Amino acid sequence: MTIKLRTIEEVIERKEHGRVWISCSIAGIENSGSWFYSSCKGCPKKKMPEDSLNYCGVCKSQGVVLRYRLKVHVVDDTGNLSLVLWEKHCIRILGRRAEELLKKSEKEGELPIEIEELVERKMMFEIEVSKSQDSLYEDSFSVSQVSTDPTFIEKHSRETPSTQESVSQPKLKMADFGVEENVDSIVDKV
């Protein structure tokens, strides 16, 4: 398995399509919407908690649970963009489910301190780059994987474009850096 590391500028230009990794810092958290949503208990399909039946036609489960949908703004030396982090990524980064964090929140409508503390943290994200963004948020990219492991990030950080001889970089093999092929081994588990 190989990873393709790209700058934010390269992602925005969309010269290449497919899954790529970016190494960046979180510059801010969007607070215009909610950082969680109500979903089916059995699958991530959005549900309205006031639905009287709470029955999912997709997975045939009954019940509603809160899940993460966190939009973050990230930066590197070449630019900035927005990413959407989902349930599994936020649980790994924050160490608890959305329902637990909501119960712990002090003020309704404000971001929990645990989410605010993500600002300025350096992470690596794998995202899908396509010719036309067809994501839930057209101006952002949905995250496939995330790593907060400092060793992994350090090994995969690259020079800024001003010091590069070439914009294109060779594909990096995970094995070249002593990282197992198993994707979970590169994701920081909380």
Side-chain angles (χ1 to χ4, degrees):
M1 180 178 189
T2 60
I3 68 166
K4 292 187 275 183
L5 183 63
R6 298 293 178 256
T7 64
I8 288 176
E9 180 179 53
E10 291 169 325
V11 169
I12 292 170
E13 291 174 358
R14 297 182 194 189
K15 291 181 179 176
E16 185 176 354
H17 304 95
R19 289 186 177 214
V20 299
W21 284 85
I22 56 173
S23 180
C24 52
S25 296
I26 295 178
I29 312 289
E30 186 163 303
N31 199 12
S32 63
S34 184
W35 52 272
F36 62 89
Y37 70 104
S38 298
S39 81
C40 166
K41 199 171 190 174
C43 72
K45 184 179 182 322
K46 186 174 182 176
K47 298 283 290 172
M48 294 295 145
E50 59 272 0
D51 289 348
S52 58
L53 297 176
N54 289 329
Y55 177 76
C56 180
V58 175
C59 74
K60 312 297 184 223
S61 294
Q62 198 165 2
V64 175
V65 66
L66 297 181
R67 295 184 194 271
Y68 288 105
R69 179 185 55 218
L70 184 62
K71 189 170 181 180
V72 297
H73 303 286
V74 296
V75 296
D76 70 6
D77 293 336
T78 68
N80 64 76
L81 57 87
S82 296
L83 303 176
V84 179
L85 296 166
W86 298 98
E87 178 78 356
K88 68 181 180 179
H89 310 114
C90 289
I91 289 174
R92 286 183 178 161
I93 294 168
L94 297 167
R96 57 182 48 147
R97 298 195 172 281
E99 288 181 335
E100 296 171 37
L101 205 54
L102 183 62
K103 286 177 186 173
K104 189 178 176 261
S105 294
E106 294 178 14
K107 295 181 181 177
E108 189 174 325
E110 288 188 13
L111 286 174
I113 189 74
E114 292 88 345
I115 292 176
E116 289 178 0
E117 288 174 346
L118 294 176
V119 174
E120 297 185 10
R121 282 193 57 194
K122 186 162 177 109
M123 298 184 195
M124 285 185 64
F125 300 96
E126 183 185 45
I127 59 174
E128 182 78 28
V129 180
S130 61
K131 208 172 219 178
S132 62
Q133 253 340 75
D134 57 349
S135 108
L136 178 62
Y137 299 97
E138 289 187 16
D139 64 335
S140 59
F141 293 85
S142 186
V143 172
S144 304
Q145 296 182 62
V146 63
S147 176
T148 59
D149 178 23
T151 305
F152 183 76
I153 294 168
E154 173 104 10
K155 287 180 181 178
H156 292 87
S157 291
R158 61 194 276 186
E159 299 173 345
T160 61
S162 60
T163 61
Q164 292 179 0
E165 290 181 27
S166 168
V167 172
S168 63
Q169 293 291 315
K171 290 182 180 178
L172 302 172
K173 294 181 182 174
M174 293 170 73
D176 291 345
F177 299 99
V179 178
E180 296 177 14
E181 295 285 330
N182 182 347
V183 172
D184 285 337
S185 67
I186 64 170
V187 178
D188 186 25
K189 295 182 181 178
V190 179

